[in-house]
Amino acid sequence: MALIVHKYGGTSMGSTERIKNVALRVAKWHDAGYQIVVVPSAMSGETNRLLGMAKELMAQPDPREMDMLASTGEQVSVALLAMALKAIGKDAVSYAGWQVAIKTDSAFTKARIQSIDDAKVRNDLDAGRIVIITGFQGVDADGNIATLGRGGSDTSAVAVAVAMKAEECLIFTDVDGVYTTDPRVVTDARRLKTVTFEEMLEMASLGSKVLQIRSVEFAGNYKMPTRVLSSMTDPMLPLEIEARSGTLISFEEDTNMEHAAITGIAFNRDEAKITVLGVPDRPGIAYQILGPVADANIEVDMIIQNQSVAGKTDFTFTVARGEYQRSMEVLNGSVKEHIGAGSIAGDAKVSKVSVVGVGMRSHVGIASQMFRTLSEEGINILMISTSEIKISVLIDEKYMELAVRALHKAFELESA
Ligand code: ADP
Ligand code: ASP
Ligand code: MG
């Protein structure tokens, strides 16, 4: 019997009414003869609420205790969904990550899944039960609960689908698929019927939070068919229609030379830029600046080093805005003195906007069109980075939405 994994996000699980709808949708698939594993997130707002309470007690909450706390949101969801299914006559059982077990490493708040034991789940499915497993969490080798980073239920769902050798992983959410850009920012954004795995990976890593990046990596590494679709439709929508709705991530080599140059626009509002000024231009300097930043577990994104004048240069890089203060502390500590830099400047109000598309390989002039569009809007570019299928620019935060809308129009991405 074919097995399908369903994932429901926070909005989809946002109230007992919505949970009843999830139960009806899951029951519809089960009635059609599928074995179903459901991976829900915490009810919307719940994870933020929990993390907010932690911050009221400790400025930098202890990571292990943070995970102990944050994981409770998903435990509420699985139990409520099991009850909603039982209430409509379905046999269902809920499990926390450690009960399955979903084994992770011990990197609390950003743990990685290492293995999933499918035995217990398989037994339940064979007995006709619907199995509901908490998203976002697992257990480390010492029995501690560890969470997978914000948006991590997507990764739990795809990993469970891979471990269970599911036919497909369906990511039900509050939009009806992956769009050319966030439909909340550009109202005439267009839904993509398919998106290549490479493009989805870039879009997720450049800030489109519709899928957590690691879920896309799992889907790609194991070629797990993964579809993003709406949980906001009538739960009794005919299954044949629902099964083909939304956006499918495709793994085929994209051979379509007619492919539009750009597939989508991603953005990340919460960036910060740091410049170390008056750095002596000598070998090893990049390592001496970025080594201590990496040792503090801070991820660096864009990097530029200016041409040197009279043996001195400026070195600029970006980090996530949440890491800005800590990065400044690291640099103002021993690093500045050690390398003999002049001063350190920063700007925590910058955003990154990126155009993404495999079509870039066969189209020229994408960068110049992007830069022309931004210049026509009077938007200053602070930094640029490129790869084979994306161009990213760093700009002042206050121009971010304007930039996204202007680029969306310039590359003719809007719905017809
Ligand atoms: P869930 O709670 O279901 O996991 P998320 O809020 O994590 O949902 O992700 C869905 C949201 O992602 C949408 O509501 C939308 O605002 C946002 N989003 C950002 N970029 C895109 C995009 N390119 N296509 C669709 N949604 C996007
Ligand atoms: N509840 C977690 C979060 O808010 C995981 C998820 O929603 O995917 O980040
Ligand atoms: Mg999400």
Side-chain angles (χ1 to χ4, degrees):
M1 209 186 296
L3 167 69
I4 306 266
V5 173
H6 283 199
K7 182 259 170 177
Y8 291 91
T11 315
S12 317
M13 295 291 293
S15 63
T16 47
E17 269 324 296
R18 292 236 162 108
I19 293 174
K20 282 184 193 169
N21 275 343
V22 169
L24 289 173
R25 200 178 297 276
V26 168
K28 173 182 75 186
W29 281 78
H30 194 253
D31 289 341
Y34 290 101
Q35 292 188 324
I36 303 287
V37 177
V38 190
V39 178
S41 296
M43 296 168 81
S44 60
E46 179 61 7
T47 310
N48 285 346
R49 189 184 74 85
L50 295 167
L51 301 186
M53 283 198 293
K55 292 238 159 93
E56 281 171 26
L57 296 171
M58 246 183 134
Q60 298 279 348
D62 178 83
R64 180 193 179 277
E65 302 310 324
M66 196 74 159
D67 279 0
M68 193 70 182
L69 176 71
S71 61
T72 61
E74 272 69 15
Q75 195 169 327
V76 170
S77 288
V78 292
L80 289 177
L81 181 56
M83 290 174 197
L85 280 161
K86 283 172 186 281
I88 56 171
K90 282 290 181 187
D91 194 4
V93 59
S94 69
Y95 293 116
W98 62 270
Q99 291 174 305
V100 171
I102 297 177
K103 293 265 174 65
T104 67
D105 61 21
S106 304
F108 298 117
T109 75
K110 47 183 161 202
R112 283 179 177 269
I113 294 177
Q114 292 176 331
S115 66
I116 297 178
D117 184 354
D118 67 341
K120 192 187 296 197
V121 178
R122 195 89 47 210
N123 275 344
D124 286 316
L125 292 173
D126 290 344
R129 280 178 212 116
I130 294 165
V131 179
I132 309 162
I133 304 174
T134 49
F136 185 49
Q137 60 170 272
V139 62
D140 78 357
D142 298 319
N144 300 301
I145 292 175
T147 68
L148 311 180
R150 298 308 304 270
S153 298
D154 298 328
T155 302
S156 306
V158 181
V160 164
V162 168
M164 302 296 303
K165 301 188 174 56
E167 192 173 276
E168 197 167 339
C169 183
L170 301 181
I171 309 279
F172 287 94
T173 183
D174 56 5
V175 279
D176 64 352
V178 178
Y179 277 69
T180 47
T181 194
D182 188 340
R184 291 183 210 287
V185 170
V186 178
T187 43
D188 61 358
R190 181 168 42 86
R191 181 172 61 81
L192 303 165
K193 282 205 182 82
T194 62
V195 59
T196 70
F197 155 70
E198 277 178 290
E199 288 168 330
M200 196 61 241
L201 198 59
E202 284 284 11
M203 284 176 66
S205 70
L206 294 168
S208 300
K209 69 167 190 163
V210 61
L211 286 179
Q212 198 200 35
I213 179 165
R214 286 192 196 157
S215 70
V216 186
E217 284 168 359
F218 257 108
N221 290 345
Y222 297 93
K223 300 267 185 300
M224 172 52 60
T226 301
R227 185 181 289 276
V228 176
L229 67 173
S230 176
S231 70
M232 298 293 144
T233 55
D234 177 355
M236 299 325 282
L237 180 72
L239 191 142
E240 317 74 68
I241 296 175
E242 185 160 277
R244 280 184 278 107
S245 68
T247 302
L248 182 68
I249 299 178
S250 73
F251 302 111
E252 278 106 65
E253 187 74 11
D254 199 277
T255 50
N256 179 7
M257 297 301 279
E258 296 296 305
H259 208 293
I262 295 303
T263 302
I265 298 174
F267 53 84
N268 190 1
R269 227 178 273 273
D270 302 321
E271 301 261 338
K273 173 171 83 90
I274 296 173
T275 304
V276 189
L277 295 140
V279 177
D281 193 8
R282 60 163 191 256
I285 211 76
Y287 173 64
Q288 282 166 24
I289 294 172
L290 296 182
V293 176
D295 291 344
N297 235 329
I298 298 169
E299 213 173 300
V300 168
D301 181 17
M302 299 164 119
I303 303 172
I304 46 168
Q305 184 178 331
N306 285 345
Q307 217 174 355
S308 67
V309 178
K312 297 264 183 185
T313 181
D314 299 336
F315 190 93
T316 304
F317 62 94
T318 63
V319 295
R321 196 171 295 169
E323 306 277 29
Y324 176 65
Q325 280 308 338
R326 233 155 45 86
S327 308
M328 290 298 262
E329 280 160 28
V330 169
L331 293 173
N332 277 314
S334 55
V335 177
K336 187 176 141 201
E337 233 165 83
H338 180 65
I339 60 175
S343 60
I344 296 172
D347 183 353
K349 289 198 167 146
V350 289
S351 300
K352 185 169 68 170
V353 175
S354 311
V355 297
V356 177
V358 291
M360 253 184 235
R361 291 187 179 128
S362 52
H363 288 75
V364 290
I366 307 300
S368 67
Q369 182 166 1
M370 182 179 193
F371 303 153
R372 184 173 62 235
T373 306
L374 296 173
S375 95
E376 280 166 5
E377 297 295 337
I379 300 171
N380 191 28
I381 299 172
L382 307 172
M383 289 172 89
I384 301 170
S385 80
T386 63
S387 79
E388 211 190 353
I389 65 162
K390 73 118 201 272
I391 304 167
S392 301
V393 294
L394 194 75
I395 58 174
D396 191 318
E397 160 189 81
K398 65 175 180 278
Y399 298 123
M400 196 209 73
E401 297 205 356
L402 173 65
V404 172
R405 290 198 190 101
L407 291 168
H408 198 269
K409 200 162 184 348
F411 286 103
E412 297 175 359
L413 294 175
E414 62 270 65
S415 44

